Amino acid sequence: FILGMTLAICLNTKMKFRDLFRVWILIPWAVPSVVTAIIFKWFFNDIYGAANDLLMQLGIISAPVAWLAVKTYAMPILIFCDAWGRIPFVTVVILAGLQTVPKELYEAAKIDGATDTKLFFHITIPYIKGAILVALLVTSMFSFRVVALMLTLTGGGPGDNTKLLSAYVYETAFRRLEFGYSSALSVVMLLLIAIICLAYIYFLRSEVKE
């Protein structure tokens, strides 16, 4: 979300090739999660991966690292790969919200001596609360349904260190055929999603009331 908002703010400025970057930013979102997982699986491969080659040439590591086989790195890599596909959505939603902020407010605040930090927190954030709420709700709900990316990238390993709740529900239902238990897990997951969504709505309730 933070990276998506940062990109949206950059794309909302009068930067060079802005329209071209707005198109490019959508590419990770358009790529299927399985394809994304395969790309990053090759990138972090301990023998042929570009990550090891790059880090060894920079002198950061002295020997290849099996990134996806080490529990310290596997989950952060999985999170990064999932975020890679979600950042474009957040960027587009926040950018749409930024386009609705009246420019006159910025000009008036600057005349009164407001700094860029005050402009961001006192004008930008209040005006894009609706966009922030949509971005947080959708990305959070989608994060609970990650299955294909995890199965393709890490398979839940090493051990069960990257096995997500959604994948566990899938495995329980369709591999172990424990439909009652998987249904109970699904209800728990639904409750978790509901709690998170209600928390977002509560903290951004001023925009919801409008």
Side-chain angles (χ1 to χ4, degrees):
F1 175 80
I2 294 174
L3 290 173
M5 175 177 280
T6 303
L7 286 173
I9 293 172
C10 293
L11 294 175
N12 194 46
T13 60
K14 294 181 180 179
M15 60 182 293
K16 195 175 183 180
F17 304 117
R18 181 181 62 178
D19 295 335
L20 187 60
F21 283 120
R22 286 181 177 180
V23 176
W24 283 356
I25 197 65
L26 294 174
I27 293 177
W29 191 21
V31 176
S33 58
V34 174
V35 177
T36 301
I38 293 173
I39 292 172
F40 280 101
K41 192 170 185 177
W42 275 103
F43 182 79
F44 289 106
N45 186 277
D46 56 333
I47 299 175
Y48 308 105
N52 279 327
D53 183 60
L54 179 62
L55 293 175
M56 289 176 67
Q57 288 187 23
L58 294 174
I60 298 176
I61 59 175
S62 58
V65 178
W67 301 98
L68 299 176
V70 181
K71 63 179 182 180
T72 307
Y73 305 125
M75 181 58 81
I77 291 173
L78 178 60
I79 293 171
F80 173 78
C81 294
D82 183 56
W84 174 263
R86 309 238 185 266
I87 288 173
F89 172 78
V90 175
T91 302
V92 171
V93 173
I94 299 298
L95 180 59
L98 291 172
Q99 297 290 313
T100 64
V101 182
K103 304 300 181 184
E104 296 79 9
L105 291 178
Y106 291 121
E107 296 172 358
K110 287 180 179 179
I111 293 174
D112 292 335
T115 61
D116 291 338
T117 303
K118 290 184 177 180
L119 290 176
F120 179 74
F121 286 103
H122 295 286
I123 295 179
T124 304
I125 293 297
Y127 261 87
I128 65 172
K129 276 187 177 180
I132 292 174
L133 180 61
V134 171
L136 288 174
L137 286 176
V138 174
T139 52
S140 296
M141 288 188 290
F142 273 54
S143 295
F144 272 89
R145 46 168 274 184
V146 175
V147 177
L149 181 68
M150 186 220 72
L151 292 177
T152 306
L153 185 64
T154 64
D160 289 331
N161 286 284
T162 59
K163 182 174 287 185
L164 305 177
L165 179 58
S166 55
Y168 183 60
V169 172
Y170 168 82
E171 181 182 281
T172 303
F174 299 104
R175 292 185 181 177
R176 301 179 185 174
L177 301 179
E178 298 177 7
F179 297 108
Y181 182 44
S182 64
S183 299
L185 290 173
S186 300
V187 173
V188 172
M189 186 167 65
L190 176 63
L191 291 175
L192 290 174
I193 296 172
I195 291 171
I196 292 173
C197 292
L198 289 173
Y200 289 149
I201 294 172
Y202 175 78
F203 287 111
L204 297 169
R205 60 190 181 281
S206 59
E207 182 67 24
V208 175
K209 290 179 181 179
E210 293 176 9

